[in-house]
Amino acid sequence: MPRKCATTLPSFGEQEGRHLVLGVHPMLMVDTDSVVVERLLLAGELTCPPCGGVLRPWGHARWRSSRREEASVRHRPRRASCTACAKTHVLLSMAWLSRRADGVSVIGSALLAKAAGAGHRPIAAGLGRPTSTVRGWLRRFGARAEDVRVLFTRLLHSLDPQAGPLLPRESVFADALEALGRAGAAGVRRLAPRPPWEFASWASAGLLLAPPVGAVSNTS
Ligand SMILES: [Zn+2]
């Protein structure tokens, strides 16, 4: 992964002219190492997603409690402001997704289990998460699966022009995960080692489970 957490790769926000940001200002997905993020921010090496201007420190976002596989963690994302357009951005670690309390790897394991044929109740039991929460993830991903498939297929071919075609699977849900996995593998080869679900968070600008444009958000 580029140290600057490149924003030149496609995201939902750029797809087909639509702008899928949650709220007025989009998140900027950054390294999971806060020391690295701070160093890049102070060095002026992070750029504003909409305009490409240099970001400068601008305090912190609120404290939040998020859940990894086994335990909750308290963290307080950095906030930055753009020296060009003056917008502020929350710098969210790519271990998370925008407006989701669970780590992207936890959510990702639920998506993979669903694609393998499991139902939301056993997935929730296996992960120790509320059934309603897991059902929400699966429904949202299912509703966005075609967008995810398109985004990550484009990303795959931009990262690896020699990549073979993605063969259709039994559902768009599975197709989307296949594209995501192939793009993640290409990202590791082309950019840097990175856990696949962190790559997915980064490449989707944290919006892997974002609501469609105009939808009312109801996340957990
Ligand atoms: Zn800007």
Side-chain angles (χ1 to χ4, degrees), residues 153-166:
T153 299
R154 287 178 179 170
L155 187 54
L156 167 64
H157 291 292
S158 68
L159 289 168
D160 180 7
Q162 307 300 318
L166 288 159

Side-chain angles (χ1 to χ4, degrees), residues 32 34 60-68 70-78 92-93 96 101:
T32 55
S34 60
H60 291 80
R62 63 173 174 80
W63 282 98
R64 52 190 79 190
S65 181
S66 302
R67 299 186 290 262
R68 296 188 187 278
E70 301 297 337
S72 294
V73 294
R74 292 262 296 161
H75 61 115
R76 193 180 190 194
R78 200 61 157 111
L92 187 65
S93 161
W96 314 110

Side-chain angles (χ1 to χ4, degrees), residues 6-18:
T7 55
T8 52
L9 291 169
S11 74
F12 285 146
E14 299 165 353
Q15 186 181 328
E16 297 172 356
R18 292 181 294 175

Side-chain angles (χ1 to χ4, degrees), residues 48 51 82 85:
C48 175
C51 83
C82 177
C85 74

